[in-house]
Amino acid sequence: MLVLYESEPESKNLNVMNNLSSIEKQFPFPSRRALVMGRNMVATSQPLAVQAGIRALQSGGNAVDAALATAITLTVVEPTMNGIGSDAFCLLWDGESLHGLNASGRSFKAMKLHDFKGQSSMPERGWDSVTVPGAVSAWVALSDRFGKLPFERLFEDAIRYADQGFQVTPFTASLWAEAKTVFRGFEDFLVFLPNGSAPIAGELFRFPDQAQTLEEIANSHGQSFYRGELAERMVCASQRAGGKMVMSDLEEHECEWIEPIHLDYHGYTLHEIPPNGQGLGALLMLGILEHLRIDQYEPDSVDALHCQIECMKLAFADTFRYVSDPTSSDMDAYRLLDREYLVNRAKLVDMNLSKNPNPGVPPGSGTVYLTSADASGMMVSYIQSNYAGFGSGIVIPGTGISLQNRGAGFNLQDGHPNCLAGGKRPFHTIIPAFLSRAGKPVMSFGVMGAHMQAQGHAQMLIRVLDQGFSPQAAIDAPRWQVCKDNSVLLESGYSDQVRAGLRARGHVVHDFNFKQIFDMGGAQMIMKTESGYVGGSDPRKDGMVSAY
C-alpha cells in the first residue's frame, strides 16, 4: 500500500514550490520533447513570450506581428539575454521572397582608437562597450513594412508583465544569479537585483519603469527612443558617467534592409545575414565540408566529428579575419564563398591530425532567438541580443533600459577591418538563418550563444539534411563547439571513445559540466510541410514551440 504523508520535515527539501532554487539545475531523468505541428507557429526561449506571439496571430496578426510581440516581451521576461537596449537582425520570407534586416548599431562618433592605447582588447562592460542600440528600430521597420496589427498592440503583453510581474524561469534565474558578482559597482544595475539579490526560479519580478518605457516607445512609434525623451535620458546618463554618446549618435541611427548571402549545400540553400554578422562562418564551414564527403563517415563517429571540427576551424580563421562593417571591409563575402577557394581550403583538412589554421587569401579582385510562421506562408527568423548577459551593465535610471555591450566586438589592431573607429558597426555574433530549396521556403531557425551560433547553424543542417533528423531531434542531439583557442567542447551525449579518439588526433577536448550547457546555444526551428509547419524548441533553454 502506498502511504502519503501529510507533512515531512523541512530538512528533506520535499516542498518543491518553496525550494525551486535548489532544484532548478537538477535534471535527474531524460526529458523528451515532442514535435509541435500547426498552421501557425511561434518558437522561442521563454514560454510567456511564445504566448505573446500566439496571441498576436490569434488577434489577426501575421508572422511578423507574432515575431515582434514575442521579441518585445522577451526584453521583459528574459532580461539576462536581451533588453530594450539590444541590437537585432532578421531574415523574413514574405510569401514570395526573402528579405534581410540589419538593426545593429554603430559606435559613437567620438570613439577613437588612441583612447585605448596600451590595452589589448576592448572593455566588456561600461559605456565604452556600448554602441547605439538598434532593436527598437527593427521593431518599427518590420511593423511598418510587413505588419498588420497596430504598432501599439505589439507591446501589450510586455507592458503587462513588466507592470504586474512574471515568474522567473529556471534557466533565466541561473544566469541572473551571476549578475550580482559581474555587475558589482554598477549602481544603476541594482534595479535588476531587488533587495540586493537576483530573483530565484518561480519568484515574481516586477519592473514598472520598464512598463512605462515600453508605453513611451509604443505611443511614439519608436521616436522617443532615438529623438525624444528616452534618447535625452540615455545621453544625460552617458555624459554624467563620462561616456561619449551624444544626441546625433541616436538621431542618425537607421537600420538597413540588406540582401542575404547564401550558399548551396546538398541541394538546399542556406541564407545568412552578410557581415558585420558572423553568418559567413556557417556558409564557409558547410562549403568546405561539401568537398569532403561527410556521408562516408558514421554520424557522431570520431571521423565525422574531426572532419566537421577541422572545417569549422578553417571557417573561423576567415570569419575572424574578414568579417567587419562592410564599409571598412577588405573582402567581398562571395570571394570567400568561391567554389575554387572552398575546394582549396578543404584540401587543408588532415583526417589524422588537428590543426590551427590561418585565414586564407581568395583569388580575384575586387546572440535571444525566435522564429514564427503563419498560414499565409510568411516565415520570420529573428535574433535580438545584449551580447554578454545583461550587456554593458549600464541601465538608464528610471527607464529599465539595459544597454548592450556590442562595442566589445571590435578589436584594437590598427589596420584590421574590425578595428574600432567612430560611427562603425562591430563584428556581431548574432545571426538568424533560413533554408530554402529551388526558391521555396524550407526552414527558419537559429542557435543562440555567441560564437556557437555559426557552428550551431552548420550542425543543425547536418542533422536535418545529412542525417534525416526531425527539427526536435536535431535540436536535442549533442553538440560540439570549437572554442576561441581551437580547443573543443563536447556535450555529454558523446562517448568516451569519441573523446579519446579526438584527443589521439591532437584535439584538446574539455570535460563537459552542466554549467556549460549555456555555452552550447539554444536552438529554435520551424520547418514548412505540405500541411503546415513542424517545430522544435531547445531543452537547453526555458522555452517552447506553440502552434494553432
Side-chain angles (χ1 to χ4, degrees), residues 85 127 130 133 234 386 390-394 396 401-405:
W127 274 103
V130 178
M234 285 188 275
N386 280 341
F390 279 92
S392 63
I394 303 297
I396 308 304
I401 298 173
S402 58
L403 293 176
Q404 37 85 328
N405 61 330

Side-chain angles (χ1 to χ4, degrees), residues 332-351:
D332 178 84
Y334 283 109
R335 286 178 60 198
L336 291 164
L337 297 174
D338 177 81
R339 186 180 186 280
E340 180 183 352
Y341 177 68
L342 295 173
V343 168
N344 288 330
R345 295 296 272 174
K347 292 177 181 177
L348 299 176
V349 173
D350 184 335
M351 286 302 297

